[in-house]
Amino acid sequence: MGNLRTRGVWCGAGFLGRSRADVRERVSRLVDLGFNLILPNLKDGLGRACWRSEVIPEASHEAYQDFDLPLVLMEECERVGMRVHAWFIDFFEGENGAAFRTHPEWAMRDPHGRTTADETLRGKRFGCVWMCPAQRPGYADQWLIPLYQEFAKRYPVEAVHHDYVRYPGDLAPDQYCFCDSCLEEIPRWAVYASETYRNERFEHELYDRPYLEAHWEPSPRVLPEGWQKWSRAERARFLLEGGFFAGGRRDLDYFFYTFRVEAILRFVRECAEAVRSVASTMKISGAFFKNPIHSGRFIGQDWRRFPPHVDICAPMDYRDHFPGTFEQYLALLRETIGLQKRWAAGFEQLWIGFAINFLFKEEPNGPYPDSKVRDVVRTIEESQPDGIVVFCAEQIEEYGMGEALRRSFRDSS
Ligand SMILES: [Zn+2]
């Protein structure tokens, strides 16, 4: 089918129902629309694993104790040639989820020691927690990676799929993470003081160069006097707003953001090693923000550096991630896919994700013009990526876009 060899669709576990007959019917509906890949959400935003986990039984979703959804889905998909990528929500967890309940110390903390649950977003208490990707031992290595590994070992699907593999973005992107572990680890990682001479300032002998910052290579002690007695908020402020040289440029944010990028990178690497150790041919895909240079700064997600730990890049080129009118969205989408092809050069494949609901900003109450869906699919196809992924099966039905997609996919063949 034209350029769009992969035509994928994200869906919630609930969309698939609770019986084999349900699953068969939902899968057949998606096949009929022209999809050849399904990405079911099997580790959800409340922190529940949609299978009966043996490594972390308390993470198991109660609805799937007696119904092996991943197994049934795999079997039903195989019958009709549908491929499966199991979609995991990585660092975003429910406040009442088992991970946070049993290990509150694994959550991200702001400079005041609060979790993201207490943030206010659009007038409402946020109520969900983000878990710290950097802490070891912590959520990444004690909880999330074991779940990935168990899933990969038990269910030989084509791929597992990362989502929320990052720091929070719509919530104060500069405020996390200052958990106890990160407060210790950032200065240690950045070598803000020597382990051997903890209190030696190691000032430059001469300061004979034209710029203060030109005297950086002897690695002077960066931590200020009294550091050990400083509160969490004071330390956080220094780590984000302080300077490598007292009185110099306030450049420590460079190290803070780099630490976050490396924490995410370490997780994708360790996750890939764990998955591939039990399923050597399994692929790993992921949904990422549209510009890895920007998302490296704001949410620690510089996905240009993910290969070879991630094989398939699926940027979420949703309309709400772009400014302007619908026409401007199409033009910016074309421009962005051109850039993404360069940024994603290290991946095996680039699939472009788009969301249904955000297309209808101008028609919040309908009717919903299906020409918008056809225009988006055509724009993506003309940019010649390796595939397309639609968010999501539920919205295709809610907005009545099934026929538009079927025709678009058929026309692209
Ligand atoms: Zn942390």
Side-chain angles (χ1 to χ4, degrees):
M1 266 197 193
N3 301 312
L4 303 174
R5 276 174 291 137
T6 292
R7 298 172 301 282
V9 58
W10 284 288
C11 72
F15 174 81
L16 297 166
R18 295 282 168 81
S19 69
R20 184 176 289 275
D22 285 349
V23 171
R24 182 171 296 188
E25 191 269 331
R26 307 296 145 77
V27 169
S28 117
R29 235 192 273 170
L30 296 171
V31 169
D32 181 54
L33 298 184
F35 289 107
N36 59 10
L37 171 75
I38 186 169
L39 301 97
N41 183 206
L42 296 177
K43 191 259 177 189
D44 73 15
L46 296 177
R48 300 171 300 187
C50 298
W51 69 93
R52 188 150 69 181
S53 174
E54 281 164 19
V55 294
I56 306 179
E58 59 271 42
S60 303
H61 193 315
E62 66 283 357
Y64 302 103
Q65 291 301 300
D66 301 315
F67 174 53
D68 194 341
L69 175 65
L71 179 70
V72 170
L73 178 66
M74 244 171 36
E75 291 171 353
E76 292 302 319
C77 284
E78 195 168 357
R79 284 180 59 246
V80 291
M82 183 77 117
R83 297 146 52 198
V84 180
H85 286 210
W87 162 23
F88 280 52
I89 291 184
D90 286 345
F91 290 103
F92 183 89
E93 279 270 327
E95 193 174 20
N96 298 315
F100 181 63
R101 265 202 339 265
T102 53
H103 290 281
E105 75 280 11
W106 288 349
M108 288 189 198
R109 301 283 164 171
D110 76 0
H112 305 285
R114 296 176 298 219
T115 71
T116 56
D118 291 324
E119 294 272 358
T120 301
L121 183 65
R122 299 180 196 109
K124 281 196 210 137
R125 183 173 180 274
F126 186 62
C128 286
V129 287
W130 280 80
M131 307 303 274
C132 177
Q135 215 182 104
R136 297 288 189 287
Y139 173 78
D141 64 329
Q142 302 294 305
W143 193 277
L144 186 54
I145 291 175
L147 285 174
Y148 266 102
Q149 189 175 43
E150 175 182 59
F151 186 93
K153 191 172 177 186
R154 198 185 294 173
Y155 305 108
V157 292
E158 179 177 288
V160 286
H161 181 78
H162 289 297
D163 193 12
Y164 290 76
V165 57
R166 59 182 178 89
Y167 285 75
D170 45 7
L171 285 169
D174 304 317
Q175 300 302 307
Y176 300 91
C177 175
F178 298 110
C179 72
D180 292 348
S181 169
C182 288
L183 284 181
E184 291 294 323
E185 191 57 19
I186 294 171
R188 204 190 65 75
W189 165 85
V191 195
Y192 285 164
S194 158
E195 295 281 336
T196 314
Y197 301 100
R198 284 178 176 277
N199 295 311
E200 179 67 53
R201 303 238 38 104
F202 285 125
E203 289 176 358
H204 201 276
E205 287 177 18
L206 298 172
Y207 288 101
D208 55 347
R209 299 172 181 181
Y211 298 100
L212 180 60
E213 282 75 15
H215 304 87
W216 59 274
E217 348 69 287
S219 301
R221 185 176 198 270
V222 173
L223 294 181
E225 301 298 329
W227 174 256
Q228 287 306 331
K229 296 181 205 150
W230 283 20
S231 70
R232 183 192 308 271
E234 286 159 344
R235 289 191 199 192
R237 186 167 169 217
F238 180 78
L239 293 175
L240 186 60
E241 298 176 20
F244 194 84
F245 291 94
R249 290 173 55 88
R250 295 166 67 168
D251 53 4
L252 292 194
D253 59 353
Y254 166 81
F255 302 97
F256 173 74
Y257 297 127
T258 305
F259 176 82
R260 302 197 321 167
V261 165
E262 290 196 9
I264 296 296
L265 196 55
R266 178 184 178 186
F267 163 71
V268 296
R269 188 188 71 238
E270 290 175 352
C271 189
E273 287 165 359
V275 164
R276 289 167 183 163
S277 73
V278 296
S280 60
T281 59
M282 186 170 286
K283 297 289 184 188
I284 301 176
S285 59
F288 313 129
F289 276 67
K290 73 175 196 284
N291 180 328
I293 300 171
H294 295 177
S295 58
R297 145 67 176 101
F298 288 99
I299 58 175
Q301 188 185 71
D302 184 352
W303 48 258
R304 293 171 302 169
R305 300 170 64 183
F306 287 178
H309 317 304
V310 180
D311 306 294
I312 297 144
C313 176
M316 299 174 285
D317 289 350
Y318 302 173
R319 186 176 170 197
D320 70 323
H321 296 191
F322 292 82
T325 63
F326 183 69
E327 290 309 313
Q328 287 173 320
Y329 168 56
L330 293 180
L332 292 170
L333 179 60
R334 193 173 289 117
E335 174 185 333
T336 301
I337 297 172
L339 294 166
Q340 288 169 338
K341 288 167 94 168
R342 291 216 304 270
W343 291 327
F347 291 86
E348 290 176 12
Q349 297 207 19
L350 172 68
W351 302 343
I352 302 303
F354 80 96
I356 298 288
N357 60 333
F358 301 118
L359 297 180
F360 304 114
K361 191 164 79 174
E362 289 79 7
E363 306 88 7
N365 304 310
Y368 308 111
D370 64 4
S371 59
K372 285 187 166 181
V373 164
R374 295 208 305 276
D375 287 346
V376 171
V377 174
R378 188 166 52 241
T379 301
I380 292 173
E381 199 207 354
E382 285 168 1
S383 302
Q384 302 193 325
D386 304 295
I388 190 167
V389 191
V390 182
F391 187 88
C392 54
E394 292 88 337
Q395 290 182 6
I396 293 170
E397 301 201 340
E398 182 185 344
Y399 291 86
M401 291 298 131
E403 194 48 39
L405 283 167
R406 192 207 318 267
R407 266 186 286 152
S408 294
F409 291 154
R410 197 185 50 214
D411 293 347
S412 79
S413 63

